[in-house]
Amino acid sequence: MSNHGLLNSMRRQDVIACTLLLGVLWFLLGMQLFSSSKFYHQGIVLFFWLPGLLALFLVPDVRRSWDRPLFFLLIFSVAWGALSVAWGGEVKRLKVFLYVLLSANAFVAIATINARMFWRCIAVGALLGGFAAWFAIARFYILDAHPFEERVIATGHLNHTIMASHVMGVLGVLLFSLRRFLPEVFQRSAWGLACLGFLAFLILSRSKGPLIASMCALVFYIVRTPSREKVFFLLLGF
């Protein structure tokens, strides 16, 4: 390949990577920011799925990064799930499995092109999600004056307690485990405050399943990489 062709390839790869990083943030935070499900999914298509497909066809490293056993396991899981849904007569829901494959490909693409920025982007997105959790709590109980007996809901499209608590649980686990990928200035007070935001939301949602699942994931993570601060936050959660 000539120097000119190599330069064009690198520029194209950089554009794809930047778009995918925006897509990752949109994927993580969009449901908290946008009340319109249609608008959220349009952003996912534009900034996440389409760039992921472009990377698959235009960046050879992305195709090589698909681990064959993992790829076939994913295909088998999706096919089995699609068969179960079709057997139950829910044919309209089959498109969900296509969405799973497109999202998995987009994550593989950005992790291949720039792994460091991929993990930092997820960590920063989860950090912002923690502060969004505090805002949701304040809005629900203070601005909207709901009694504390009611189960909290989040902002944007996460206007259902169960769905919101699942999203907050996942983001909380991601933030807790990806602390080292945050900019250094955010690795202490901001990180701790955001983690507490997720914990407070899960407690106020009174959703036992997401809370227990999050705690189990954190226990597993701390057993693998113990530290005093991690144990403190886990004990605080219990």
Side-chain angles (χ1 to χ4, degrees), residues 18-38:
C18 290
T19 308
L20 280 170
L21 289 172
L22 174 60
V24 170
L25 289 175
W26 194 287
F27 184 90
L28 293 176
L29 300 174
M31 285 191 291
Q32 292 174 269
L33 299 177
F34 310 121
S35 58
S36 169
S37 173
K38 181 179 180 180

Side-chain angles (χ1 to χ4, degrees), residues 44-97:
I44 291 294
V45 172
L46 183 62
F47 301 123
F48 201 51
W49 292 345
L50 288 181
L53 287 175
L54 286 176
L56 181 65
F57 291 108
L58 299 178
V59 183
D61 286 343
V62 173
R63 293 193 296 274
R64 288 192 288 266
S65 293
W66 269 104
D67 180 80
R68 286 191 176 183
L70 182 61
F71 174 75
F72 287 116
L73 182 61
L74 177 62
I75 292 295
F76 174 78
S77 300
V78 167
W80 182 262
L83 180 62
S84 300
V85 169
W87 188 271
E90 300 286 341
V91 179
K92 291 183 179 180
R93 296 181 60 188
L94 290 176
K95 60 184 180 182
V96 172
F97 298 98

Side-chain angles (χ1 to χ4, degrees), residues 34-197:
F34 310 121
S35 58
S36 169
S37 173
K38 181 179 180 180
F39 184 65
Y40 170 68
H41 284 98
Q42 287 173 340
I44 291 294
V45 172
L46 183 62
F47 301 123
F48 201 51
W49 292 345
L50 288 181
L53 287 175
L54 286 176
L56 181 65
F57 291 108
L58 299 178
V59 183
D61 286 343
V62 173
R63 293 193 296 274
R64 288 192 288 266
S65 293
W66 269 104
D67 180 80
R68 286 191 176 183
L70 182 61
F71 174 75
F72 287 116
L73 182 61
L74 177 62
I75 292 295
F76 174 78
S77 300
V78 167
W80 182 262
L83 180 62
S84 300
V85 169
W87 188 271
E90 300 286 341
V91 179
K92 291 183 179 180
R93 296 181 60 188
L94 290 176
K95 60 184 180 182
V96 172
F97 298 98
L98 174 61
Y99 300 164
V100 170
L101 292 175
L102 290 171
S103 297
N105 176 70
F107 278 119
V108 169
I110 184 56
T112 300
I113 295 173
N114 194 329
R116 178 73 184 179
M117 286 304 299
F118 167 65
W119 290 114
R120 171 160 286 193
C121 187
I122 290 182
V124 170
L127 182 77
L128 294 174
F131 289 106
W134 280 121
F135 175 77
I137 293 170
R139 191 203 66 169
F140 189 79
Y141 290 115
I142 299 176
L143 297 180
D144 294 343
H146 289 274
F148 277 96
E149 291 76 18
E150 288 190 29
R151 302 169 69 183
V152 68
I153 61 173
T155 55
H157 188 53
L158 295 180
N159 55 0
H160 188 280
T161 297
I162 300 298
M163 181 171 63
S165 60
H166 278 84
V167 172
M168 294 298 185
V170 171
L171 289 176
V173 171
L174 286 173
L175 178 62
F176 191 86
S177 57
L178 296 178
R179 176 186 178 187
R180 67 186 184 279
F181 291 101
L182 289 170
E184 190 172 349
V185 68
F186 298 129
Q187 289 186 12
R188 298 190 67 83
S189 299
W191 174 80
L193 187 60
C195 285
L196 290 175

